[in-house]
Amino acid sequence: MAAHDRLASQSQVVLRLGQMLLSFGASAYRVKKSMADLARAVGISDHRAQVTYTEIIATAYANGTFRTELAEQRLMGVNADKIDRLNNYVVSLRGRSVRVEDVSDELDAVARIPALYDWFSNALASGLACAAFAFLNGGGWVECSAVAVASFFGQALRRQMLHRHMNHFGVWMACGALASLIYILLVAPAQHFLGVEATHQAGFISALLFLVPGFPLVTGLIDLVRQDFQGGIGRLVYVFMLVASAGVAVWAVSAVFGWSVAPQYTIELVPWLHFLLRFLTSFVAAYGFAILFNSPHRVCFAAALIGAVINTGRIALVLLAGMPVPAAVGLAALAAGLLAVAVAKRTRFSRVTLSVPAVVIMIPGVPLYRALTNLNNQQIDDALSALFTVLFTIVAIGMGLALSRMLTDKNWLMESQERVPNLWDYEKEEDA
């Protein structure tokens, strides 16, 4: 009984670590590996876990007995800062033994850390990032300025609703409707009274790009590559539902006001200046998304610099070398993964918090929301063309990041042939 009680306290603190990582947006692979590393540090002989997007089932073997527990995690979100803090803490325990009480105190300390940015800074980052996206999507000053204001208020509403633990799908629908409505209310009077051309109407799609769930999308792809199918499929279904919720709001608002979602605007600049501005706006977009993921400024800067380099390179490959978009995106994602590894080795930042903001800016959010609107309008050919473009691009991002992991981490390149634990082994060990 004493051995089982001891194992109960050990396994509970390990399970709590897994729940916290899951709630902060870590991938299933990261959750399982961190739990296994902490389990060894607290004296558990062997630890196995099955991780989905909302649940963890874990079995711990030690002291001649075993214990299986199940935990459900319903408060989902993204907090890159706390992922890095927990990851660094677990790494510091390698080769050491630690008391359960000390681990529990450390987890309490991490849980008490408030968000790094207040609502205004968070919303401002969203507005600037989406305005940068609008420029990258061919918009001019009209689109960029209106998108900045609309995304600011959309993100401010989303933060307040999420802090009240409201249903995510309802949150995405409400914030998508608000952002698109604000864009229309800004541009429509300008068209009527100031003579602004109607070609700027489709720019309101860029105002919704803060709603692209980039972090769970990328970690879901990573889980699939690692063959953590339950966690990966769950994340991707969650992503699809969020995008569909925002897409319904976009279609409803565009239908009510009769606004087009087909792009008619473009901006022409001197090539060298255009590429320089693309580099700067890619930096701003990646920096803004890193802030939305609650990364410290140093992480934001590193991730934004990686994003600016790889996204500008991707555009150059497409425009100057004529490379197909998915191939260019895949190479850019590979470069992002390798650069993230290089930076991570010299800092205490993790690869995921560096690479995800960098590659998120390549996710084709505008074609995605446009395709959903076209589906609702029964424009099937246009919708399918855009959806396939989005699908190939997202797969290319996943393949590029996966290849970078395989090239830099032997645990990704080769599967270990671990023997299934047998309780009899631990009973003999305890008797000895």
Side-chain angles (χ1 to χ4, degrees), residues 382-404:
D382 292 338
L384 290 179
S385 176
L387 284 176
F388 277 111
T389 299
V390 172
L391 177 62
F392 290 145
T393 303
I394 291 175
V395 170
I397 291 174
M399 293 299 101
L401 289 177
L403 183 57
S404 70

Side-chain angles (χ1 to χ4, degrees), residues 266-307:
T266 185
I267 183 171
E268 296 293 339
L269 297 171
V270 178
W272 69 265
L273 177 60
H274 207 164
F275 273 99
L276 176 60
L277 291 177
R278 283 169 174 150
F279 181 90
L280 295 176
T281 50
S282 296
F283 181 91
V284 171
Y287 201 109
F289 263 94
I291 287 179
L292 293 184
F293 299 151
N294 198 51
S295 293
H297 282 295
R298 290 182 301 166
V299 179
C300 294
F301 181 85
L305 190 57
I306 293 172

Side-chain angles (χ1 to χ4, degrees), residues 186-345:
L186 289 173
V187 175
Q191 290 180 191
H192 184 74
F193 296 108
L194 302 178
V196 173
E197 298 178 355
T199 55
H200 305 294
Q201 288 187 355
F204 82 99
I205 299 291
S206 294
L208 308 173
L209 296 184
F210 70 96
L211 294 175
V212 174
F215 210 96
L217 174 60
V218 174
T219 52
L221 293 172
I222 291 174
D223 282 342
L224 290 183
V225 173
R226 282 288 307 177
Q227 301 179 47
D228 292 316
F229 294 116
Q230 287 183 312
I233 292 174
R235 289 174 192 272
L236 295 184
V237 169
Y238 170 76
V239 168
F240 171 78
M241 293 295 293
L242 291 181
V243 171
S245 298
V248 169
V250 173
W251 168 79
V253 172
S254 63
V256 168
F257 287 88
W259 275 44
S260 171
V261 297
Q264 298 176 346
Y265 52 84
T266 185
I267 183 171
E268 296 293 339
L269 297 171
V270 178
W272 69 265
L273 177 60
H274 207 164
F275 273 99
L276 176 60
L277 291 177
R278 283 169 174 150
F279 181 90
L280 295 176
T281 50
S282 296
F283 181 91
V284 171
Y287 201 109
F289 263 94
I291 287 179
L292 293 184
F293 299 151
N294 198 51
S295 293
H297 282 295
R298 290 182 301 166
V299 179
C300 294
F301 181 85
L305 190 57
I306 293 172
V309 170
I310 61 109
N311 194 49
T312 307
R314 171 189 67 88
I315 296 172
L317 289 175
V318 173
L319 296 182
L320 302 182
M323 181 176 291
V325 173
V329 169
L331 288 177
L334 171 61
L338 295 176
L339 290 172
V341 171
V343 174
K345 287 181 177 179

